[in-house]
Amino acid sequence: MRGQMMDRPLLVSLLIEYAGRYHGDTEIVTRAVEGGIRRSSYAAVERRACQLANAFARLGVAPGDRVATLAWNTDRHIELYYAISSMGAVCHTINPRLFREQIRYIVNHAADKIVCLDLSFVPLAESLADELVPVRHYVIMSDRVHMPATPLAGALCYEELIAAETTDFAWPSLDENTAAALCYTSGTTGNPKGALFSHRSTVLHAFSVCAAGLIGLSMDDTVLPVVPQFHVNAWGVPYAAAMCGAKLVLPGAALDGASLYELFEAEQVTVSLGVPTVWLALLQHLEANKLKFSSLQRTVIGGSAVPPAMIRSFEETYGVRVIHAWGMTEISPIGTANTLKKKLAALPPDERFAVQTKQGRAVFGVDLKLVDAAGAEQPHDGVARGELLVRGPWVIDGYYKDAEASLAVFDEAGWFRTGDVATIDDDGYLQIVDRIKDVVKSGGEWISSIDVENAAIGHPDIAEAAVIAVPHPRWGERPLLVVVGRQGRVPDKASVLQYLAGLLAKWQLPDDVVVVAELPHTATGKLLKTQLREMFRNYPLPEA
Ligand code: AMP
């Protein structure tokens, strides 16, 4: 029997209509790319999104067309999210930190008709324009006063474009499975692959971000996503904040510790989100200048494993709760979040921190399973390791226009293969052990590079650590630890190995420690281990 409920589609336009009506005066504060602080509101963003949609329609944007952004976290970027998706087009966020060749590839692959860009990215677009064949217009996200003289053909000024339009636009009633947004994964090999989010998946994911088991975002919050809008839609925050009416604070291009801290304090931010490398820089700034947070309550950290020392430092020194989360571009991105069950919250600090180091429990909607190399399901006992597979309403069911890549990533039952190796304990806490291709296969044993990195980062002289496998005649592979010193200090190999000996089994200890000035990162802040492996391919390990 069919239920007798209205069939109202879940659409991105509903979010901004709701925020405009019920949280209209709630602020959206931006550190402007042009300099200074700009204050807007949900009501203003809703009006301006309508003006933008009118302008795009006039420029010939049709349903399903891709309109791209090359932009920082700003109010204008939020307006673009809502205008493009709500009118039935697809908002394609380009990560400007990708290699030029990758940007060229994805703009052509997505066939972007319009690229909207911040002033910072005008030189990049100018240098690539000849190769960006499908692009008809470049909309420079600024006003007339700041418009640069640019040879970009068809360059338009954002503020002039919308000033000419009315603030009325009737958002179409779309099928909720219509594509809303497109984001390419920055894989370390091969061409980037597109995850094409639907209106339905985007709205459902936003409910999940607001849920108490994840961030528990509400209208009492002021949220500052440090994670860029070009990295999986700032983990869904622009949608979730509108859904619950949270005040949004957007850092623009200034992501250094001092600028972020100033914004956290001036706007009294309560929640923030970002990758570990960002917090590393921010915490170093606080430490060096003897500063404290006066309003920050919680921070969601993910994208790479959060070092246990960081969780402890946030809580013990700054009184901020860390919610460790795991996800992927292909999962919109959030899959798990570490909030503590009652019985675990009461544990002594050391035991509790050990649980908080895990990537957390599945959020409602996301199913997890572990399988071994033969595809046999593994128990959730905290010990058995396997590849992590997921399914859910905000998990991709194929890559955008890439049938070949799509073939490789689903099992027979349609679950998505994450490429992560993990355990899941009997309370449901997921722990990412490694990427399948990053584990160090030593003799018959697997050494988790993440375990060794997490241990190393606790050494007082180490700021950042990476472990890679180096070929070894007897063991097949052995771990090499590559580290960056903390603020001018040079970690001493003997001291590091002695420190690790207290935390790891003997066979897990790295065979050598190399100090470097900097570690290579991907465009989304992850350690670029392919490059490290290449750098240390012929590294002579010392004799045991
Ligand atoms: P991306 O699609 O760029 O967000 O990358 C997704 C990958 O990042 C995952 O498959 C994991 O390997 C890694 N990742 C994300 N969050 C975490 C985390 N909390 N701990 C360890 N690895 C993570």
Side-chain angles (χ1 to χ4, degrees), residues 4 24 27 83 88 121 137 157 204 231 233 278 311 340 345 348 351 374 417 430 444 448 494 505 539-540:
Q4 283 186 289
E27 281 187 304
F121 304 120
H137 298 282
C157 166
L204 290 175
H231 187 191
N233 300 323
V278 161
I311 300 179
L340 289 171
E351 288 171 52
R417 293 182 183 283
L430 169 82
S448 153
Y539 187 81

Short mmCIF file of all heavy atoms in Angstrom, two decimals, residues 4 24 27 83 88 121 137 157 204 231 233 278 311 340 345 348 351 374 417 430 444 448 494 505 539-540:
data_model
loop_
_atom_site.label_atom_id
_atom_site.label_comp_id
_atom_site.label_asym_id
_atom_site.label_seq_id
_atom_site.Cartn_x
_atom_site.Cartn_y
_atom_site.Cartn_z
N GLN A 4 0.16 7.89 2.07
CA GLN A 4 -0.57 9.04 1.53
C GLN A 4 0.09 10.34 1.96
O GLN A 4 -0.48 11.11 2.72
CB GLN A 4 -2.02 8.99 2.00
CG GLN A 4 -2.84 7.97 1.23
CD GLN A 4 -4.30 8.04 1.62
OE1 GLN A 4 -4.66 7.66 2.72
NE2 GLN A 4 -5.13 8.52 0.72
N GLY A 24 16.43 35.11 7.74
CA GLY A 24 16.83 36.15 6.79
C GLY A 24 17.87 37.11 7.32
O GLY A 24 18.75 37.56 6.59
N GLU A 27 23.59 36.49 9.81
CA GLU A 27 24.70 37.03 9.02
C GLU A 27 25.52 35.97 8.28
O GLU A 27 25.68 34.84 8.75
CB GLU A 27 25.66 37.78 9.94
CG GLU A 27 25.20 39.17 10.29
CD GLU A 27 26.30 39.89 11.05
OE1 GLU A 27 26.76 39.38 12.09
OE2 GLU A 27 26.72 40.96 10.58
N ALA A 83 22.34 29.71 -6.75
CA ALA A 83 21.77 30.13 -8.04
C ALA A 83 21.90 29.00 -9.07
O ALA A 83 20.93 28.64 -9.75
CB ALA A 83 22.49 31.38 -8.54
N GLY A 88 18.62 24.61 -11.90
CA GLY A 88 18.63 23.33 -12.64
C GLY A 88 19.92 23.07 -13.37
O GLY A 88 20.06 22.06 -14.07
N PHE A 121 42.40 34.22 -9.05
CA PHE A 121 42.59 33.17 -10.05
C PHE A 121 42.54 33.68 -11.49
O PHE A 121 42.55 32.90 -12.43
CB PHE A 121 41.57 32.05 -9.83
CG PHE A 121 41.63 31.50 -8.43
CD1 PHE A 121 40.54 31.56 -7.59
CD2 PHE A 121 42.82 30.96 -7.96
CE1 PHE A 121 40.63 31.09 -6.28
CE2 PHE A 121 42.92 30.49 -6.66
CZ PHE A 121 41.82 30.55 -5.81
N HIS A 137 32.06 32.29 -21.17
CA HIS A 137 32.18 33.52 -20.38
C HIS A 137 32.99 33.27 -19.12
O HIS A 137 32.90 32.18 -18.53
CB HIS A 137 30.79 34.02 -19.93
CG HIS A 137 29.88 34.36 -21.06
ND1 HIS A 137 29.98 35.55 -21.75
CD2 HIS A 137 28.86 33.67 -21.60
CE1 HIS A 137 29.05 35.56 -22.69
NE2 HIS A 137 28.36 34.43 -22.63
N CYS A 157 31.76 41.35 -15.16
CA CYS A 157 31.91 41.75 -13.76
C CYS A 157 30.70 41.25 -12.98
O CYS A 157 29.55 41.58 -13.31
CB CYS A 157 32.02 43.27 -13.68
SG CYS A 157 31.82 43.91 -12.03
N LEU A 204 19.83 15.45 1.78
CA LEU A 204 19.92 14.40 2.81
C LEU A 204 21.24 14.49 3.57
O LEU A 204 21.28 14.35 4.80
CB LEU A 204 19.78 13.01 2.17
CG LEU A 204 18.38 12.67 1.65
CD1 LEU A 204 18.39 11.32 0.93
CD2 LEU A 204 17.36 12.66 2.77
N HIS A 231 36.51 21.97 -2.06
CA HIS A 231 36.84 20.60 -1.62
C HIS A 231 35.57 19.93 -1.10
O HIS A 231 35.20 20.08 0.07
CB HIS A 231 37.94 20.63 -0.56
CG HIS A 231 38.44 19.27 -0.20
ND1 HIS A 231 39.25 19.01 0.87
CD2 HIS A 231 38.22 18.06 -0.79
CE1 HIS A 231 39.49 17.71 0.94
NE2 HIS A 231 38.88 17.13 -0.05
N ASN A 233 32.43 20.66 -1.59
CA ASN A 233 31.44 21.61 -1.09
C ASN A 233 31.63 21.97 0.38
O ASN A 233 30.64 22.05 1.13
CB ASN A 233 30.02 21.05 -1.31
CG ASN A 233 29.75 20.80 -2.78
OD1 ASN A 233 30.20 21.58 -3.64
ND2 ASN A 233 29.05 19.73 -3.10
N VAL A 278 45.76 22.33 8.37
CA VAL A 278 45.31 23.68 8.69
C VAL A 278 45.37 23.92 10.20
O VAL A 278 45.83 24.96 10.67
CB VAL A 278 43.86 23.87 8.19
CG1 VAL A 278 43.19 25.04 8.87
CG2 VAL A 278 43.85 24.06 6.70
N ILE A 311 44.31 16.00 19.01
CA ILE A 311 43.02 15.88 19.72
C ILE A 311 43.22 16.29 21.18
O ILE A 311 42.43 17.04 21.75
CB ILE A 311 42.51 14.42 19.63
CG1 ILE A 311 42.30 14.03 18.16
CG2 ILE A 311 41.22 14.25 20.43
CD1 ILE A 311 41.82 12.62 17.93
N LEU A 340 31.14 10.37 21.10
CA LEU A 340 31.33 9.27 22.03
C LEU A 340 30.02 8.73 22.59
O LEU A 340 29.14 9.48 23.00
CB LEU A 340 32.21 9.74 23.20
CG LEU A 340 33.69 9.97 22.83
CD1 LEU A 340 34.41 10.62 23.99
CD2 LEU A 340 34.37 8.67 22.43
N ALA A 345 32.45 8.03 26.98
CA ALA A 345 32.74 9.40 27.42
C ALA A 345 33.23 9.41 28.87
O ALA A 345 33.95 10.31 29.30
CB ALA A 345 31.49 10.27 27.28
N PRO A 348 38.66 6.98 31.52
CA PRO A 348 39.80 7.85 31.87
C PRO A 348 40.37 8.47 30.60
O PRO A 348 40.32 7.85 29.53
CB PRO A 348 40.81 6.87 32.50
CG PRO A 348 40.07 5.61 32.76
CD PRO A 348 38.86 5.58 31.91
N GLU A 351 42.34 6.44 27.80
CA GLU A 351 41.52 5.46 27.06
C GLU A 351 40.53 6.17 26.15
O GLU A 351 40.25 5.74 25.04
CB GLU A 351 40.75 4.56 28.04
CG GLU A 351 41.64 3.58 28.76
CD GLU A 351 40.89 2.85 29.87
OE1 GLU A 351 39.80 2.30 29.61
OE2 GLU A 351 41.40 2.86 31.01
N ALA A 374 39.69 -11.63 -0.91
CA ALA A 374 38.83 -12.52 -1.69
C ALA A 374 37.38 -12.04 -1.68
O ALA A 374 36.50 -12.69 -2.25
CB ALA A 374 38.93 -13.93 -1.13
N ARG A 417 33.81 0.67 -3.35
CA ARG A 417 35.11 0.32 -2.75
C ARG A 417 35.88 1.59 -2.46
O ARG A 417 36.21 2.33 -3.38
CB ARG A 417 35.95 -0.46 -3.75
CG ARG A 417 35.45 -1.80 -4.09
CD ARG A 417 36.45 -2.46 -5.06
NE ARG A 417 35.95 -3.74 -5.45
CZ ARG A 417 36.00 -4.82 -4.67
NH1 ARG A 417 36.58 -4.76 -3.49
NH2 ARG A 417 35.48 -5.96 -5.07
N LEU A 430 34.95 3.00 13.49
CA LEU A 430 35.81 2.70 12.34
C LEU A 430 37.21 3.23 12.62
O LEU A 430 37.35 4.34 13.16
CB LEU A 430 35.24 3.42 11.11
CG LEU A 430 36.09 3.45 9.85
CD1 LEU A 430 35.93 2.15 9.08
CD2 LEU A 430 35.69 4.62 8.96
N GLY A 444 55.45 -11.21 6.33
CA GLY A 444 54.03 -11.55 6.19
C GLY A 444 53.12 -10.52 6.82
O GLY A 444 51.90 -10.63 6.76
N SER A 448 50.87 -0.42 9.34
CA SER A 448 50.03 0.73 8.98
C SER A 448 50.87 2.00 9.02
O SER A 448 51.42 2.36 10.05
CB SER A 448 48.88 0.83 9.99
OG SER A 448 48.44 2.16 10.09
N ALA A 494 68.11 9.08 16.72
CA ALA A 494 68.17 8.15 17.85
C ALA A 494 67.04 8.44 18.84
O ALA A 494 66.37 7.53 19.34
CB ALA A 494 69.53 8.25 18.53
N ALA A 505 55.50 -1.98 18.16
CA ALA A 505 56.21 -3.26 18.23
C ALA A 505 57.53 -3.11 17.46
O ALA A 505 57.64 -2.25 16.56
CB ALA A 505 55.37 -4.36 17.60
N TYR A 539 66.36 4.73 -1.88
CA TYR A 539 66.95 5.10 -0.59
C TYR A 539 67.65 3.89 0.04
O TYR A 539 67.04 2.83 0.22
CB TYR A 539 65.86 5.62 0.34
CG TYR A 539 66.42 6.17 1.63
CD1 TYR A 539 66.93 7.46 1.67
CD2 TYR A 539 66.46 5.40 2.78
CE1 TYR A 539 67.47 7.97 2.84
CE2 TYR A 539 67.00 5.90 3.96
CZ TYR A 539 67.51 7.18 3.98
OH TYR A 539 68.04 7.68 5.13
N PRO A 540 68.94 4.05 0.39
CA PRO A 540 69.64 2.91 1.00
C PRO A 540 69.32 2.83 2.49
O PRO A 540 69.75 3.66 3.27
CB PRO A 540 71.11 3.26 0.78
CG PRO A 540 71.15 4.76 0.64
CD PRO A 540 69.79 5.23 0.22
#
